[in-house]
Amino acid sequence: MNRAYYGWLAGATLSTFGDATLFFALGWAAADLGPQVAGLVLTGYTLPRAVLLLAGGVLGDRWGPRRVLLTCDFLLAFLTLLLAGAFHLVGTTAALLLLTAAAIGTVDAFVLPAAGAFPRLFADDNTLPKAMALRTSTQQVVTLAAGPLGGLLVAVAGLVGALLVDGLTFLVSFVILLAIKPPLATTAVPSGQSALKEALDGIRLAWSEPVLRALLLTVGLTAAFVLPVTSLCVPLLARSNGWNASQAGLVVGATVVGSLLVTVGVARLGTFALPGTTAAAGCLLAAAGMAALAMSSNAYAALLCGLVQGVGVGLFTSHLAPLFVASTPRSHLTRLQSLLALAQTLPLVASMNLLGGVAEAGAPVAVLTCAAGTTLAGATLLSTRSVRKANVGVS
């Protein structure tokens, strides 16, 4: 692995931690003003990101991922430090919270596609799975650590402190990125087309290529039915079974640990020979864990089910992500990453409302619905021959 990649990864992980603690602080401050404000703040972050993701993908292919990330790191550092001063002077208001969420969500629409494509600028097909698994595993560690550390930061320094810390992490990331040069970067050449035509060209490519089409459909299904298990279904299941909050938290943590174990293993050893088939097997294993979770009335049995689910999700993500990037032409790297991010965002909005209604019949029914949807995701991969036979970066 090129040493510069570790430098970028360190800076990106640091800024991810800063973002995670800031989101905790924003949610905490918004909840103090009422549930309606909390909902508006969440929407204020999600909506501009979803609307602008395709534009972010086009800009990344025009400018190159490094230039986009440098610009966004600088903007985020400037905005968070400026907003820290505003909160210090004005206090915590709903309008300022909404402005903060919208500003970060807007810039994130350009960060996500560029960051998703960036490992490709350091790694060839043989090292790409390890590079991407290493990035995923560091993000999972941040997810585990950000909750308690974010709570401690908010308790000590409040929202202003969280904004200052986030701004400093982006400054560090900017300096690191400025100092490194990706060895496989290509010079971005504008196509002369409008941004809309370039975005539509990315959609056309994704739909016309069987591997890319199947992977995007599968990501949409897993986003719709895997992500709500920990955020929506486990809390509902805990309440229906009489588990306390700490027991529910352990079940959620077990899924993260299971996924982390797999991604660390892939970062060290590489992927299995057929990544598409392995990703499908991961979906089916995760679905089995969910089905067992729905039937578990004991919190400690549920913890084991969560671990199984996490291992399945880890197998899926660590094998699908490098296959998706390796199957994408270099001319369309960030545009396809923006479609991947959209495939993770839009279905989740619909499924949260759907599962909320299904849960009226009982939390286990909602979890079983998620298991069925995840099984369908695995079947979608297995039904596409080009995905089953695809191979990339086995080591």
Side-chain angles (χ1 to χ4, degrees), residues 360-373:
E360 294 291 335
V365 179
V367 180
L368 287 173
T369 301
C370 290

Side-chain angles (χ1 to χ4, degrees), residues 19 22-23 25-26 29 41 44-45 72 74-107 157-168 170:
D19 261 356
L22 176 59
F23 290 145
L26 283 174
V41 169
Y45 169 74
C72 291
F74 181 82
L75 278 175
L76 286 168
F78 175 77
L79 286 171
T80 49
L81 294 175
L82 182 67
L83 287 164
F87 277 104
H88 178 69
L89 293 173
V90 177
T92 303
T93 66
L96 203 50
L97 287 171
L98 185 59
L99 175 63
T100 302
I104 295 173
T106 298
V107 181
L159 178 57
V160 172
L163 282 162
L164 289 173
V165 168
D166 198 29
L168 290 174
F170 279 111

Side-chain angles (χ1 to χ4, degrees), residues 352-364:
M352 280 291 196
N353 293 295
L354 169 68
L355 291 169
V358 171
E360 294 291 335

